[in-house]
Amino acid sequence: MMKLTVWGGAGEHGRSAYLLSGNRVHLLLDCGVMKEGTGVYPIIQPEQVPQLNAVFLSHAHEDHSVAIPLLYRLGYQGEVWTTRETAAQLTAYFASWREYTERVGEKLPYREEDQRAIRYRFLEEEAKRLTWFDALPGVKVMWGRSGHLMGSVWLLVEAEGKRIFYSGDYTSESLLLEDDNPTLADTSSAMLLDLAIVDAAYGTDAHSQADRLRQLEQTIQSTLQSGGKVLLPVPAVGRGQEMILWASRNWGHIPIVTEAPLIEGMKRLLCRSEWLRSTDSGQGMKSELELLLSQNNWIVPGSDAERESWLEKQGASLWFVTDGMMQSDLAQWYYHRFSRDSRNLVLLTGHVSNGTFGQRLLQHPEDYGDCSVMKIRYKVHQGLADVRQMITAIPAQHTVLVHADKAETDRLRVRLVEELTDPHIHIHSISVGEEVHF
């Protein structure tokens, strides 16, 4: 018998941390934070940390990664298994989290030396994707690209006679990034897995990416036709590059102002074509990105003075700024200038945590300015149809739905259970601190 203990991430959006415990093997899948208030960390059980044999990191986003130094502070001396690309991104995420905690007047619960103590092992250097390998005695692992972020992966783990699937953050609908279908994995004649931890961030939302893109296009086009500007706050790495590419396809004839980190992220994609979606070793999408960047029609301001100048010069235009929740000084600088014109629109396209500036704008835009504020999701996670497809294709005796608040996860579970015909399959909607024995 093994046990899953949720240190974070189930019944909530953020601080993903899933402990797998057996008689001999103790593994942790991700260890992130939640950007609410002064910052929320996983409910790590300190006495368990020295017993950990390994930590596996699905990707670099802060809600999956930024509490890893805390493990070393609490006595972890093992390695973190991830991709080389994820490890390369972590320095920026750790720095961003440090800035956030300083801004809200909170001290980090770990030291810089704890961050430096992290020892990485790289999945792609041990085995090709969709291939089993021995990660440590008694533990076999397989990995595949998850389509969520450059470097992001899903994992299959075999330990103590059990097989566990962890989707990480998963999407099969990325414009830029390739995903490896988990059904292509060798799971021994489609046997039932023992446990699946499945990204269900969008709950009962059944919209496809195509649905969302049509909604986004109509909303943006309406603002542009009125002569307004559209501000699109996005993460520095991830959906930001996808949305820039999508916007250039739709509105290449109008000015698109983009902050430098987003362009740098696009250039980095060109150097990591193994993550790009294509039928020809990444060359198709790589060629499009190269052409896009070579056209040199981006406006990339280098200072506030340049930003002010372009704001005065441009009419209908698109503006991409880093920080999807608008917590940064730069994102708020942009908002206060956009808010002076009722024709303008601030368009949020991802998760916005409670207490953030972005959430306050959505709840009470009239308190801050004259422009409109809307949220229309750009899909980088799974909703109803995606989760249904995943649990049908890779069934497990126990499936734990994660990455959404408890009420929405409960609703999704009810929908899925109504469709089940196999009495041996159990779907769980649980909360932080709860356990599943398998």
Side-chain angles (χ1 to χ4, degrees):
M1 183 70 70
M2 290 190 75
K3 177 177 68 175
L4 164 70
T5 305
V6 177
W7 284 356
E12 61 185 11
H13 190 116
R15 62 169 179 173
S16 296
Y18 308 102
L19 176 66
L20 301 173
S21 304
N23 293 324
R24 303 175 305 279
V25 173
H26 303 271
L27 308 173
L28 186 64
L29 306 175
D30 289 348
C31 195
V33 294
M34 192 184 304
K35 188 178 274 188
E36 292 188 3
T38 57
V40 184
Y41 294 82
I43 56 164
I44 297 170
Q45 298 165 305
E47 71 279 5
Q48 294 279 354
V49 174
Q51 299 181 38
L52 289 174
N53 303 106
V55 174
F56 292 89
L57 175 59
S58 65
H59 65 288
H61 280 154
E62 64 199 11
D63 57 330
H64 292 257
S65 68
V66 168
I68 286 176
L70 182 55
L71 297 175
Y72 285 85
R73 176 67 169 164
L74 294 172
Y76 180 59
Q77 299 191 8
E79 297 166 325
V80 175
W81 285 89
T82 190
T83 62
R84 184 171 287 280
E85 177 57 33
T86 291
Q89 295 172 24
L90 285 176
T91 300
Y93 280 100
F94 289 140
S96 176
W97 185 252
R98 183 177 296 276
E99 291 171 5
Y100 171 78
T101 55
E102 290 174 353
R103 190 181 308 120
V104 298
E106 186 68 16
K107 290 185 177 180
L108 288 172
Y110 54 79
R111 305 159 300 184
E112 286 192 26
E113 49 262 45
D114 300 315
Q115 180 181 324
R116 292 194 296 269
I118 301 173
R119 294 187 293 121
Y120 296 105
R121 291 287 296 277
F122 301 118
L123 294 165
E124 65 268 49
E125 294 181 3
E126 292 296 323
K128 295 179 180 179
R129 51 193 175 84
L130 304 179
T131 304
W132 287 104
F133 70 95
D134 294 313
L136 57 151
V139 178
K140 292 182 178 292
V141 174
M142 179 189 293
W143 66 278
R145 296 168 295 184
S146 72
H148 176 77
L149 176 70
M150 186 166 58
S152 68
V153 298
W154 53 258
L155 296 161
L156 265 171
V157 179
E158 185 178 276
E160 298 194 11
K162 305 289 185 179
R163 279 193 173 179
I164 301 103
F165 172 72
Y166 177 44
S167 70
D169 287 0
Y170 188 94
T171 180
S172 62
E173 298 181 281
S174 171
L175 177 66
L176 274 174
L177 301 175
E178 187 65 88
D179 63 291
D180 293 311
N181 190 329
T183 60
L184 298 177
D186 170 21
T187 55
S188 297
S189 304
M191 62 177 283
L192 269 182
L193 298 176
D194 297 283
L195 175 71
I197 305 170
V198 173
D199 174 10
Y202 298 154
T204 56
D205 185 345
H207 288 91
S208 68
Q209 185 74 296
D211 296 333
R212 291 304 186 190
L213 291 179
R214 281 191 292 270
Q215 189 179 5
L216 283 165
E217 184 176 351
Q218 291 169 1
T219 302
I220 291 173
Q221 187 62 30
S222 175
T223 299
L224 296 175
Q225 287 177 343
S226 71
K229 301 178 178 67
V230 181
L231 181 65
L232 291 143
V234 292
V237 180
R239 73 174 184 273
Q241 284 74 34
E242 293 208 17
M243 293 194 68
I244 290 170
L245 177 61
W246 170 75
S248 70
R249 289 175 174 179
N250 285 277
W251 296 285
H253 59 288
I254 69 167
I256 300 178
V257 183
T258 308
E259 288 297 319
L262 290 161
I263 297 298
E264 291 304 312
M266 193 168 289
K267 291 177 180 177
R268 188 171 182 83
L269 277 167
L270 291 175
C271 301
R272 301 290 186 272
S273 60
E274 67 271 20
W275 298 99
L276 294 178
R277 182 179 293 284
S278 177
T279 57
D280 183 22
S281 303
Q283 293 305 306
M285 188 56 69
K286 182 178 180 180
S287 297
E288 183 173 359
L289 290 178
E290 287 174 337
L291 178 62
L292 190 63
L293 289 170
S294 68
Q295 291 173 346
N296 200 30
N297 60 349
W298 304 104
I299 299 172
V300 185
S303 65
D304 285 348
E306 286 187 23
R307 294 182 183 98
E308 291 277 16
S309 176
W310 285 115
L311 282 166
E312 292 178 7
K313 292 178 182 177
Q314 301 301 332
S317 48
L318 299 179
W319 297 68
F320 285 90
V321 60
T322 51
D323 189 357
M325 300 188 197
M326 301 191 70
Q327 287 289 85
S328 69
D329 292 339
L330 181 58
Q332 292 178 30
W333 182 94
Y334 268 111
Y335 174 76
H336 290 303
R337 282 149 182 82
F338 269 63
S339 66
R340 300 167 185 168
D341 189 335
S342 61
R343 296 175 300 172
N344 293 339
L345 169 67
V346 176
L347 189 52
L348 301 166
T349 55
H351 176 70
V352 185
S353 295
N354 292 330
T356 60
F357 186 70
Q359 183 68 15
R360 294 198 295 273
L361 287 180
L362 286 171
Q363 293 174 338
H364 304 289
E366 68 281 356
D367 292 345
Y368 295 92
D370 295 329
C371 71
S372 299
V373 181
M374 294 180 63
K375 179 180 175 179
I376 300 175
R377 182 175 284 154
Y378 183 95
K379 282 189 71 179
V380 292
H381 292 280
Q382 297 196 122
L384 172 61
D386 313 296
V387 174
R388 180 193 292 123
Q389 180 178 0
M390 178 168 280
I391 66 175
T392 301
I394 45 173
Q397 289 183 319
H398 297 275
T399 294
V400 179
L401 306 174
V402 300
H403 223 319
D405 69 71
K406 186 63 165 60
E408 182 61 14
T409 308
D410 286 343
R411 287 188 286 269
L412 175 61
R413 179 186 176 276
V414 169
R415 293 282 297 273
L416 295 171
V417 168
E418 288 174 350
E419 302 171 4
L420 278 178
T421 58
D422 189 338
H424 301 292
I425 294 177
H426 306 279
I427 298 179
H428 302 268
S429 171
I430 60 178
S431 298
V432 176
E434 295 186 352
E435 301 175 347
V436 174
H437 294 259
F438 60 97

